[in-house]
Amino acid sequence: MKINQRVARLRKERGYTQKEFAELILMDDSTLSKSESGKRAFRDYELEKIADILDVSLDFLFNRSKTKPDIIVFHLNEITEETEKELLHFIENRRNSQK
């Protein structure tokens, strides 16, 4: 996944519209649209703001991170008790199958 696609996906996952997000990173929404579609590259200072606002590392934006802890932590508040049990069951089964 390219950085522009990753930014767009993360923005949507966090519930921001392009207009809302553009305002937060001090960018015109048409410029953000061009950047997310790959027609314009993000500037370094824009990526720093984006990482801060989305609460991810620059390594994660550049797909250098092997894990997604920041995404997992973001969604922990949304997990129901039932889903938590299912996740724990899945993890346990996965560990057992890898032995």
Side-chain angles (χ1 to χ4, degrees):
M1 180 179 296
K2 294 181 181 181
I3 194 164
N4 60 310
Q5 297 167 322
R6 186 168 282 248
V7 169
R9 190 194 72 193
L10 290 169
R11 173 186 58 77
K12 291 173 190 174
E13 285 178 359
R14 300 301 200 275
Y16 294 112
T17 65
Q18 278 188 334
K19 185 169 180 60
E20 292 168 333
F21 195 64
E23 289 175 7
L24 290 173
I25 59 174
L26 306 175
M27 178 188 284
D28 188 72
D29 57 331
S30 64
T31 304
L32 177 60
S33 177
K34 289 177 188 173
S35 296
E36 285 187 348
S37 68
K39 295 177 183 172
R40 174 195 177 271
F42 285 104
R43 307 283 193 300
D44 290 346
Y45 67 91
E46 294 167 345
L47 290 172
E48 290 176 8
K49 286 181 188 177
I50 289 168
D52 287 344
I53 291 166
L54 296 176
D55 196 27
V56 297
S57 67
L58 287 171
D59 279 343
F60 185 76
L61 284 181
F62 282 100
N63 203 22
R64 293 181 185 155
S65 177
K66 300 292 184 208
T67 60
K68 300 180 185 179
D70 32 22
I71 298 298
I72 293 168
V73 169
F74 178 78
H75 290 288
L76 279 179
N77 294 335
E78 301 170 8
I79 294 176
T80 64
E81 190 173 322
E82 182 180 336
T83 302
E84 182 180 354
K85 288 177 185 177
E86 290 173 3
L87 284 170
L88 291 172
H89 182 70
F90 171 80
I91 292 167
E92 187 64 31
N93 285 339
R94 179 93 186 226
R95 286 183 181 154
N96 290 336
S97 69
Q98 292 177 348
K99 290 182 181 181

